[in-house]
Amino acid sequence: MSVDTSAMHQPLYDPAVDGAYVPPLDIVLDCAREELEKYATANIHNHHEMLVAAVSHHDRLRQLVAALDKEAGR
């Protein structure tokens, strides 16, 4: 017997809900560096720590790409 989990799915990013504000590139780069330092010692065997780091990195990467696109005029 399988369980249908599609109704429980929530995406990491939803353009209809998430804001459209794009911080300046220099701020996003500083934040990305701080985040890399923050999670550098996370325990790879700890599921919760890895999940928190992955979601945080996903959000930061999305901001970084948006800031680069904005600076390039895309």
Side-chain angles (χ1 to χ4, degrees), residues 35-48:
E35 184 170 321
L36 287 171
E37 185 177 329
K38 177 180 178 179
Y39 292 110
T41 59
N43 181 355
I44 197 165
H45 300 290
N46 183 311
H47 176 75
H48 178 71

Side-chain angles (χ1 to χ4, degrees), residues 1-20:
M1 183 170 136
S2 64
V3 177
D4 181 13
T5 60
S6 62
M8 296 186 306
H9 176 261
Q10 291 181 321
L12 287 175
Y13 176 75
D14 182 356
V17 177
D18 296 321

Side-chain angles (χ1 to χ4, degrees), residues 14-61:
D14 182 356
V17 177
D18 296 321
Y21 170 70
V22 178
L25 181 56
D26 59 331
I27 292 174
V28 177
L29 279 173
D30 287 343
C31 291
R33 288 184 178 105
E34 289 174 8
E35 184 170 321
L36 287 171
E37 185 177 329
K38 177 180 178 179
Y39 292 110
T41 59
N43 181 355
I44 197 165
H45 300 290
N46 183 311
H47 176 75
H48 178 71
E49 283 186 37
M50 289 296 100
L51 184 59
V52 169
V55 170
S56 186
H57 289 338
H58 175 86
D59 289 342
R60 189 66 64 204
L61 181 59

